Amino acid sequence: MNILLPKTITSSMFGAGTNIPVVDTAVGEQAWVSGTNYVLKDRRVDGDYTYECVQPVSSAPQNTYAPSDVRSAGFWLKDEGAPTNRMAPFDKYLFTKARRAGNVTYVLNPGFVTGVAIYGIEGDKISLSAKAGPGGADLITPIVNRDLWQPAFGEWEYLFGDLQRGTYFTLKDLPIHPNLELTITVTRNNPTVEAAIGFISVGNWKRLLAPMSQQGGVLYGVEASTQDYSYQDDTPRKDGTYVEVQGRLATDINLSCLIDAAQAPAAKLLLDQILGKAVAMEVSELPKYSHLATVGKITGTVRSDTWPAASVGLQIKGNV
């Protein structure tokens, strides 16, 4: 059982090779400019998010207060579902995606981390390298460079079925280095087709292991349930017909782990550290358990069952 304790990504951690600009005019983003007046519904980028003008800004000094300034309350509204194209993979949602034709590349300098999780991928290939600082030596060899096609479930699917692309990738046991430079690239075979990444988390992987073992301690009976937030709107209709309103999709997971009793305090501390945060988790690295992975908020209980063993019950509410 693996849970990624995330590190907050800030603008200072981006390297020069990142190919999505701070304000991406290619997707229609416009930066807020001090001293400019704005009308209702104008949308401008300030910091990591897009803000919408909800009350006209027509004079000084109001037009000198950035949308994120507390003095702009009532004039600008932060759109929680619209981070900038560059910062989209670093919010709490998977549906907010960084998009770019051909490929999406991030170069990150996060300091001490042991792993990375990438979800909401739309692409044909993924590559990942870790260097000892810009231009430094490779810390992992060979460099990750793989297709994103998922393996077929059987011969018929392989020959005639609709093979699916993988949507997530995780990497563990990165070498510890203070100047780690991590380069992540998702690429399309056709350079005119849009590539996208929905969620990137870097940090330290935490493992819940079975007693006296280096194997995952998750017990059989893990449950993954799909969540569809679509709904039907029949309010304007009187004839039984309705409009299907497309909603977001998510995966919830419920499981139990058996761990060494001595690890119970560390397990409780981990739950405290990730409480209220969107984190990446996976039950196992084995392909047959690849469906038991998601990004979401984790709550749980730690119970001391016997002298040598304890149990951890986890509920993961998947993020959209």
Side-chain angles (χ1 to χ4, degrees):
M1 170 66 189
N2 304 305
I3 297 174
L4 185 60
L5 184 61
K7 173 173 283 192
T8 300
I9 298 299
T10 63
S11 57
S12 63
M13 296 180 181
F14 288 94
T18 301
N19 67 357
I20 297 182
V22 176
V23 178
D24 193 352
T25 57
V27 296
E29 292 178 352
Q30 297 182 61
W32 173 83
V33 179
S34 179
T36 302
N37 295 333
Y38 295 97
V39 299
L40 204 64
K41 300 294 185 181
D42 278 347
R43 291 172 67 83
R44 294 294 185 269
V45 167
D46 179 28
D48 298 338
Y49 277 86
T50 300
Y51 291 76
E52 184 167 310
C53 184
V54 294
Q55 182 178 330
V57 179
S58 57
S59 62
Q62 190 60 54
N63 62 12
T64 65
Y65 303 149
S68 58
D69 193 312
V70 294
R71 293 170 294 185
S72 289
F75 290 88
W76 293 93
L77 181 65
K78 180 181 178 180
D79 187 344
E80 292 286 349
T84 62
N85 198 32
R86 171 181 275 210
M87 295 302 296
F90 305 100
D91 71 349
K92 58 190 175 184
Y93 297 119
L94 278 70
F95 78 88
T96 55
K97 298 187 178 187
R99 298 182 178 277
R100 189 176 185 273
N103 73 86
V104 173
T105 298
Y106 281 96
V107 179
L108 302 174
N109 302 280
F112 293 105
V113 297
T114 63
V116 59
I118 308 162
Y119 279 73
I121 299 172
E122 296 178 22
D124 299 301
K125 297 179 180 178
I126 186 169
S127 63
L128 192 149
S129 67
K131 295 182 178 295
D138 289 324
L139 295 177
I140 56 172
T141 53
I143 295 172
V144 175
N145 191 6
R146 54 177 285 186
D147 291 332
L148 284 167
W149 291 107
Q150 292 181 329
F153 295 118
E155 184 178 6
W156 192 94
E157 287 82 5
Y158 178 77
L159 295 174
F160 310 110
D162 182 18
L163 292 180
Q164 300 297 306
R165 293 182 178 89
T167 60
Y168 80 93
F169 177 81
T170 62
L171 184 67
K172 302 174 183 66
D173 300 321
L174 285 173
I176 299 297
H177 196 282
N179 297 317
L180 173 71
E181 181 181 80
L182 194 63
T183 302
I184 301 165
T185 301
V186 171
T187 306
R188 287 290 195 181
N189 293 331
N190 183 340
T192 65
V193 176
E194 198 172 65
I197 301 176
F199 185 86
I200 299 175
S201 181
V202 295
N204 298 311
W205 283 104
K206 302 295 184 179
R207 292 180 169 94
L208 300 181
L209 300 175
M212 307 297 292
S213 171
Q214 289 300 304
Q215 301 300 314
V218 176
L219 301 176
Y220 282 108
V222 182
E223 180 181 72
S225 57
T226 57
Q227 300 296 327
D228 182 0
Y229 293 99
S230 301
Y231 64 94
Q232 63 185 50
D233 183 2
D234 57 5
T235 52
R237 300 165 184 264
K238 303 297 183 182
D239 59 357
T241 61
Y242 58 88
V243 175
E244 186 75 24
V245 181
Q246 184 64 43
R248 310 295 180 187
L249 307 176
T251 298
D252 296 346
I253 296 177
N254 293 302
L255 59 88
S256 295
C257 283
L258 184 66
I259 63 173
D260 193 292
Q263 297 301 311
K268 175 59 168 60
L269 176 60
L270 174 60
L271 290 181
D272 290 339
Q273 291 174 312
I274 63 177
L275 194 62
K277 298 179 180 179
V279 299
M281 62 77 59
E282 61 181 11
V283 166
S284 171
E285 299 173 40
L286 295 176
K288 68 178 181 179
Y289 297 124
S290 61
H291 63 292
L292 300 176
T294 193
V295 173
K297 292 186 176 181
I298 299 179
T299 57
T301 57
V302 180
R303 186 176 65 188
S304 296
D305 296 313
T306 63
W307 180 260
S311 59
V312 180
L314 298 179
Q315 299 80 46
I316 302 97
K317 183 173 179 57
N319 276 24
V320 296

